[in-house]
Amino acid sequence: MPSKKLVIVSLDAFGTEDLAYALTLPNFKKYRQEAALVEAVESVYPSLTYMCHTSIVTGQYPKDHGIINNTLLQPNRISPDWHWYTKYIKTPNLFDIASENGLSVSTILWPATGKSKSIDYNIAEIFANRKWHSQVAVSLLVSSAKYLIEKNHKFGHLRSGIKQPELDDFVMAVAVDTIENEKPDVMAIHLVDLDSTRHGFGVKSPEAKAAIERIDAHLGQLFHAIETTPAYKEAHIVLLGDHYQIDTQVVIRPNHLFKKARLIQTKAQNEIQDYKVYAKATDGSCYIYVKDHDAFTMVQLKEILAPLKPYIETIYNREEAAALGADPECFALIEASEGYYFESDIERPIIEYTNKQIPGVKLLKASHGYSPKKGKYTTMFMAKGPKIRAGETLASGRLVDEGPTMLAMLDLAFKTPVEGKVLGQIFR
């Protein structure tokens, strides 16, 4: 029986549209010749990193696995906490199942893995979002401390906090070293350089093209480590994206309108103190929450949001949002028109063009969080290994299909029903 080894590499913000160029690069090209490809993978809604990555490893939509936004609903905090911890996930995930079946697990900056009891070698994705926090301290608290200290001692010189592309350099060095030394049965690696670059420069910018070239170089490092480590001779290797991005020209901050309608109370510096109705942004879309289920109607919502009508593509009510896989506890979900995105704060203007250069202010040149039904917005999934048909191509799939499919590579499965299905066509 082949040894049960699985290496997962998440290429954050890599889309179907990137394949044409990526497959001309040496390591992508070589890998594709031995791999199966799902060309157009439909993401989840809202298509943000934490929801996507949790859907990948649970086979469930956000409404069921519980990670319904990157960040928590904390209106009174300028920098809210993220869903960093595994405790927020309500359903079984691939790492838990692998561990329960005696497999060792390593994750490197995989979202929502903080304080996981199933992961043997974990460097969790987290950052210091309080002035009195340090990056080292918060990482140690949520990761495998001994493992993190050892890898940071070896490779900490490669990174500069959480800045890219240095952070991905660190991640890949740790991944290679982990394969060669710890030899985990399941490894999941999260590379964020491309996502960060697109936010800063645009989807098809020269900088984004250069980030894809850096990914190819990292894959070369990883593939070499796998090929020269006998324990991984029969390993399955998966490359996947979580979402794509869309170029943006304008950021919209709807909470200004709720403040004007006296549905939000503020204190000094326009910080939100309390609310009856609150817009919780997910970039390309935006949740509307009504506190304590106060009497509030969709008619009222549409009246208040009327000044933003040119920027809003659709307003979904709670039932429609849940049917799309989003938070069933929201009052409504707003989808931005292409070229626009939302933010929750009211410290800056209600409408602002993203082509500005303002010290200390991050305005996104491209973003995600949009409906996965938007055109040319799919991502991709590739896999190679002893169970996989080399060269097989599927036209389409869903993000929720990936967890069940990867578990099948390990001869494992979810014990309880999930939305995702095994992509059986790519198997021998």
Side-chain angles (χ1 to χ4, degrees):
M1 178 184 290
S3 61
K4 294 182 179 180
K5 297 283 190 186
L6 171 65
V7 179
I8 308 163
V9 187
S10 166
L11 312 178
D12 202 305
F14 190 103
T16 305
E17 298 284 302
D18 294 318
L19 284 169
Y21 178 62
L23 293 178
T24 68
L25 302 174
N27 297 299
F28 273 108
K29 185 176 182 180
K30 182 178 182 293
Y31 174 85
R32 172 62 181 117
Q33 291 168 352
E34 303 168 344
L37 166 66
V38 185
E39 289 182 317
V41 174
E42 183 177 286
S43 192
V44 296
Y45 196 26
S47 49
L48 287 185
T49 297
Y50 275 55
M51 293 88 97
C52 293
H53 281 79
T54 308
S55 288
I56 287 167
V57 296
T58 62
Q60 300 280 29
Y61 288 101
K63 68 180 177 68
D64 295 313
H65 62 57
I67 308 297
I68 45 80
N69 201 332
N70 278 352
T71 56
L72 305 180
L73 184 62
Q74 296 173 329
N76 59 333
R77 289 186 173 174
I78 294 171
S79 180
D81 296 319
W82 290 50
H83 285 97
W84 286 312
Y85 305 108
T86 296
K87 68 179 182 181
Y88 294 121
I89 304 176
K90 297 177 180 178
T91 59
N93 66 68
L94 183 150
F95 308 131
D96 293 338
I97 294 167
S99 180
E100 289 165 5
N101 283 273
L103 301 181
S104 58
V105 180
S106 173
T107 57
I108 306 173
L109 299 195
W110 195 274
T113 57
K115 296 188 177 181
S116 170
K117 295 178 181 178
S118 301
I119 302 170
D120 304 276
Y121 311 104
N122 183 17
I123 299 178
E125 183 169 273
I126 190 170
F127 62 90
N129 67 331
R130 300 286 184 273
K131 291 179 181 178
W132 56 90
H133 287 174
S134 76
Q135 186 60 45
V136 172
V138 296
S139 294
L140 281 171
L141 283 171
V142 303
S143 304
S144 305
K146 181 173 180 289
Y147 174 69
L148 173 58
I149 290 167
E150 288 177 356
K151 300 309 181 192
N152 209 49
H153 179 72
K154 281 186 177 182
F155 307 111
H157 64 280
L158 296 175
R159 68 189 294 178
S160 176
I162 59 172
K163 292 179 182 177
Q164 293 290 2
E166 294 88 350
L167 184 58
D168 273 13
D169 293 341
F170 170 79
V171 166
M172 190 50 66
V174 171
V176 166
D177 194 70
T178 301
I179 285 169
E180 293 173 344
N181 293 288
E182 283 78 14
K183 300 177 177 62
D185 298 310
V186 175
M187 169 174 268
I189 306 157
H190 182 209
L191 297 177
V192 191
D193 181 11
L194 180 60
D195 183 71
S196 178
T197 301
R198 284 190 154 141
H199 281 314
F201 297 97
V203 175
K204 298 199 174 176
S205 60
E207 290 85 356
K209 187 176 181 181
I212 295 172
E213 292 165 1
R214 290 193 291 271
I215 289 173
D216 189 76
H218 285 319
L219 293 179
Q221 294 174 270
L222 183 71
F223 296 159
H224 177 75
I226 291 170
E227 290 163 6
T228 56
T229 305
Y232 288 83
K233 185 179 180 182
E234 297 293 312
H236 286 90
I237 306 169
V238 169
L239 303 184
L240 56 85
D242 57 344
H243 54 70
Y244 193 38
Q245 286 200 24
I246 293 173
D247 285 323
T248 58
Q249 291 82 46
V250 175
V251 56
I252 312 298
R253 301 183 178 97
N255 279 320
H256 280 281
L257 297 178
F258 296 130
K259 180 188 176 185
K260 185 178 180 181
R262 299 187 177 182
L263 296 169
I264 285 178
Q265 293 78 50
T266 59
K267 49 187 178 181
Q269 286 82 47
N270 243 356
E271 291 180 37
I272 294 173
Q273 186 171 26
D274 200 2
Y275 72 95
K276 291 184 178 179
V277 181
Y278 178 72
K280 175 66 172 174
T282 55
D283 287 9
S285 53
C286 183
Y287 287 118
I288 304 297
Y289 290 101
V290 175
K291 192 174 185 180
D292 302 325
H293 303 283
D294 285 351
F296 190 72
T297 67
M298 287 294 289
V299 171
Q300 288 174 289
L301 176 64
K302 289 176 181 179
E303 286 177 353
I304 292 171
L305 293 178
L308 300 181
K309 190 173 181 180
Y311 311 108
I312 295 174
E313 184 176 289
T314 313
I315 301 178
Y316 299 105
N317 64 29
R318 175 186 284 115
E319 292 74 22
E320 291 167 333
L324 293 166
D327 185 7
E329 298 302 314
C330 72
F331 176 81
L333 179 61
I334 307 169
E335 173 74 9
S337 297
E338 198 161 312
Y340 307 102
Y341 75 98
F342 298 107
E343 285 186 349
S344 303
D345 74 276
I346 52 175
E347 294 178 14
R348 297 198 59 78
I350 185 170
I351 294 171
E352 193 165 21
Y353 288 90
T354 61
N355 59 2
K356 292 181 177 180
Q357 297 292 333
I358 306 170
V361 177
K362 186 179 180 181
L363 298 172
L364 307 181
K365 304 298 188 297
S367 199
H368 46 101
Y370 300 94
S371 165
K373 304 294 184 182
K374 266 187 163 59
K376 294 185 178 181
Y377 189 59
T378 54
T379 184
M380 63 83 208
F381 177 89
M382 289 193 276
K384 64 166 280 192
K387 294 180 182 293
I388 304 300
R389 292 179 182 270
E392 185 71 33
T393 302
L394 298 186
S396 63
R398 301 173 300 167
L399 210 67
V400 293
D401 297 328
E402 296 176 356
T405 300
M406 292 187 290
L407 280 175
M409 296 175 198
L410 295 168
D411 296 316
L412 299 174
F414 288 101
K415 292 179 182 178
T416 54
V418 296
E419 290 290 333
K421 308 298 178 187
V422 174
L423 296 167
Q425 302 97 311
I426 70 171
F427 287 81
R428 296 182 188 275

